[in-house]
Amino acid sequence: MTAVLGGCGLGAGSDEVTLRLVAADYGDSSANSSQKYWDKLVKEYEAEHSGVKIDVSVYSWTDVDRKVKELVDAGKAPDMAQIGAYADYADKGLLYKADDLIGIREQADFVAQLASAGRINGMQYGMPFAASTRLLFYNKTLFADAGLTPPTTWKQLAADAEALKADGVKYPYALPLGPEEAQAETMQWLLSGGGGYVDSVGTYGIDSGENVTTLTWLRDDLVGKGLTGPVAPENLNRAAAFSAFAAGDVGMLNGHPSLMKTAAAKGLKFGMVPMPGAHGETKNSMGVADWMMAFKQNGHAEQVGDFLDFVYSEKNVLAFSREYDLLPVTNSASSVMSRASRDSDLKPFLDALPDSELPPVGKTSWASVSAAVKKQIGSAVSSGGSPSEVLRALQLTAQKAE
């Protein structure tokens, strides 16, 4: 009787635990889909851990956050989710703290500013999974043809864009403020003007004087002078801008590490420099992190923690980062990558990480604020647009969401 109640002697798999993970796809084709990465990792893990199965479902970034929300709302939360935001779920008490899953040593290995962004009230709920920073990419061939050097100030950037336009370049500076990722392009520009979404104490300051000045400059000195190409910024998405850059139609744009592979595959000669600022190089690049989280609904904290220890091993963090041209989220893997000659192309992005600033992802309001920015910010720099009015409306949205 004891043996039967304990799950023993009931046949193979009777006491097996299946952990379900919903993850985002970082690949750009079926050949390098994240499903392939997870399938290989899971096969290795299951070979060493009898009694535990891992079921991974991978969705595009267009769908993954919505898919997790639907599962949670239906009372069918996955054991783990690797998506773009965690704060809403943590605020509702749905997530395990990292303390419940992994050890202090493993938590201490997270890159400091990424770990900080995953904390609410000092507690780690979001575990960083992938990271990137942004640099200004420029087309070396177009710059050489026009006799230009990479800009370090807004004034120089505008002058370079004027020269590129005179040479017939389709997008002298590509400004993707379309709904795909307008909040990221906006944040990089706000930082370059000495502002940002929040002030020094973490309070929303979207309509600050610095931010109004930045968007006014964009409206008048770039967009208004026809230096951002034939597609209005509010209609230009990041993916389209990246494709245009790889095709040789863009002089300059903000980009993250994955753009290197896309451009190199097309044989494009490009360079990368820090984002120009109002009066010199921007001190703080924008950092971006995606998150791993574990839901409490199904229990299995011990098994989830053991699997995450495997996921965050130096070997696996490096393998994922190298496959998708992303930055490691652990100090141990970052140290290896910074020294390895095979990763030299990523070093400028690694160097920018310590001084990077992340969006206010620890705020439960950020999801709705980010959505509002995506929808409205393009109109601020369009012809006749009012940066002060748009930013004020976004500040009111943020305050209401808070």
Side-chain angles (χ1 to χ4, degrees), residues 187-201:
M187 181 172 173
Q188 184 62 73
W189 276 100
L190 298 184
L191 290 173
S192 74
Y197 288 122
V198 296
D199 59 24
S200 58
V201 295

Side-chain angles (χ1 to χ4, degrees), residues 42-62:
V42 165
K43 184 178 180 180
E44 292 179 8
Y45 181 79
E46 290 180 348
E48 300 172 7
H49 299 78
S50 60
V52 178
K53 294 292 183 183
I54 312 294
D55 178 11
V56 183
S57 300
V58 172
Y59 296 90
S60 72
W61 275 108
T62 306

Side-chain angles (χ1 to χ4, degrees), residues 356-375:
S356 65
E357 182 173 326
L358 274 70
V361 291
K363 289 180 174 290
T364 57
S365 58
W366 173 241
S368 58
V369 173
S370 176
V373 171
K374 290 179 181 182
K375 186 176 181 180

